[in-house]
Amino acid sequence: PPAASPSRTSAASAASASSIRQYHSTARNEILPFLAAGILGASAVYTYRAFRQMDRDWEEYYRDLEEYRAVAGIDPEERADRNATGNSGDAAADDLSRFFKGGTLAIDVGTTRLKLSHRPSLADESRHKDGKPPPPSVSVDREGFRSTPSLVWVPPSDDGGGMLVGRLAEARSHDAKGGSVVRPREMLERDGELAEAAIQQSIRAVAANALDQVLGGGGGSPSAQNPLFVLDESLSTGGSYNVRPVFTYPPHPEESSRLLQRYQRSVNGLTSPAGIADFVPEPVAVVTGAEYYNLLPPKGASAGNSVLVIDVGGASTSVSVVEGDDAAEVLCCASFPFGGDTLVDLLVSHLANGFFGPPGDGGDDVDEAANPSPKPTLDDPVALQRLHEASVTAVHELSSKTRSEINIPYLTMDLETRQPKHLEVGVS
């Protein structure tokens, strides 16, 4: 057959390209409406579900609000409106203390010690003396101690046992039996379930002990499933107490908000309803206590009412400046790594060096210039634990006496004579 001319070939190609463009244009015009309808439909379904969820959340919120009003007799929405308009109204209407028949329990979770102070309810006239309510007092546990070691022993992962708190944990400070001894206060710096569990168990054990001494028990043994502090008096059963909890917390301006939120989250697991606990900065609590005992100059006696608060803790000493007449405020705070435990560690090192001899030259010496109060070390953990317990007792006795005697029988064995060696020394 004769060959096609170039003009016919180009005409056919142009016709084919035109048909392809027309096909794609037609397909696009048909698909775009379907896509638009699908997007609008999905948006409508999502919006409908969102509004339904909002309705359910509002219904749940108002149910919880009515339950809170019935228990506490306080309307949080009215309080928010008064705060927004600057009208605080009647302060007594916002005070929850009248609902706590068991009074107020102040809890100071220190780095190394945990202390409690209880004040009976002002409405309980049976405890009044000469027409005046009783003053607050430091709680004493069953063993007669005014404070408890703020320590928690965490068992090893393969151990089925639970945590040990207080003096049981302190007894394993230098011989942890495969586990670890932690300080709940320091665990606030690390988020996690372990920190919250350690704080809750430590507070629960010590506070239940103290409240049992003061109030005679909450109607049963403490249980981890029951809240420790309840607002409704009818729920004061099974180890729960109708007591108002007040917690102190360390003022760290650079991270106080983050630490306080973790602390509150841990404490909310001990209260019912959540949020009934109060939190006060430690320097403010010190100033408030000083005012209660009339240790500060009267208001208006000088141009400024700034107070320097020196708080000697277990592991550190804090110096804070607090100012304010009606509402105290922490202006600045500084902390130094020296506290009561530093004295104990120095005494343990002194006793160990005098009894066992100074550390050897095997490369384990500590640079005292870089760390003037290092933790004592000893190859025998049992002997180190006994030295620590004796040193703690001696430091406590030196708070009220000028001299303390330390007697530790059978501290070690003399390898040459194979006779037991005893420690008898006096410290002043």
Side-chain angles (χ1 to χ4, degrees), residues 66-240:
E66 291 299 328
E67 181 180 355
Y68 184 82
R69 287 170 177 167
V71 174
I74 296 176
D75 190 344
E77 292 187 338
E78 292 182 0
R79 178 190 299 186
D81 293 340
R82 292 199 305 269
N83 293 337
T85 57
N87 182 17
S88 59
D90 186 7
D94 293 340
D95 186 11
L96 293 176
S97 60
R98 68 183 188 276
F99 297 99
F100 295 103
K101 305 303 182 182
T104 302
L105 184 70
I107 304 173
D108 178 18
V109 183
T111 305
T112 60
R113 312 296 294 184
L114 193 153
K115 291 186 177 182
L116 307 175
S117 178
H118 179 261
R119 180 173 185 174
S121 174
L122 299 179
D124 187 4
E125 297 183 356
S126 61
R127 294 177 176 266
H128 290 192
K129 296 182 179 179
D130 299 331
K132 297 181 180 180
S137 59
V138 177
S139 301
V140 179
D141 60 14
R142 297 184 182 95
E143 292 78 17
F145 295 98
R146 293 164 55 91
S147 65
T148 304
S150 184
L151 297 173
V152 175
W153 178 79
V154 181
S157 57
D158 57 350
D159 190 347
M163 297 180 180
L164 300 179
V165 300
R167 290 178 182 82
L168 295 178
E170 186 182 37
R172 302 190 178 186
S173 298
H174 299 283
D175 187 12
K177 309 295 183 182
S180 58
V181 179
V182 298
R183 295 174 175 176
R185 169 82 162 258
E186 294 179 348
M187 294 188 71
L188 285 176
E189 301 175 1
R190 302 189 300 271
D191 201 0
E193 296 182 358
L194 179 60
E196 294 185 9
I199 293 174
Q200 290 180 3
Q201 186 158 343
S202 179
I203 294 175
R204 181 183 294 275
V206 179
N209 187 329
L211 292 174
D212 182 65
Q213 299 297 308
V214 176
L215 303 178
S221 59
S223 173
Q225 285 72 30
N226 296 334
L228 181 62
F229 306 102
V230 294
L231 182 63
D232 188 357
E233 186 181 7
S234 63
L235 300 178
S236 299
T237 58
S240 300

Side-chain angles (χ1 to χ4, degrees), residues 112-113 170 173-174 183 313-315 338-352 373-376 384-399 406:
T112 60
R113 312 296 294 184
E170 186 182 37
S173 298
H174 299 283
R183 295 174 175 176
F338 182 90
D341 270 19
T342 309
L343 300 176
V344 175
D345 292 338
L346 291 174
L347 181 55
V348 172
S349 299
H350 172 72
L351 296 176
S373 57
K375 284 291 183 180
L384 184 60
Q385 180 67 43
R386 298 182 66 187
L387 287 173
H388 176 80
E389 295 173 356
S391 298
V392 171
T393 303
V395 170
H396 288 175
E397 290 180 354
L398 290 175
S399 300
I406 298 179

Side-chain angles (χ1 to χ4, degrees), residues 350-351 403-407 424-428:
H350 172 72
L351 296 176
R403 184 176 177 83
S404 176
E405 298 295 333
I406 298 179
N407 297 312
E424 296 181 5
V425 64
V427 293
S428 58

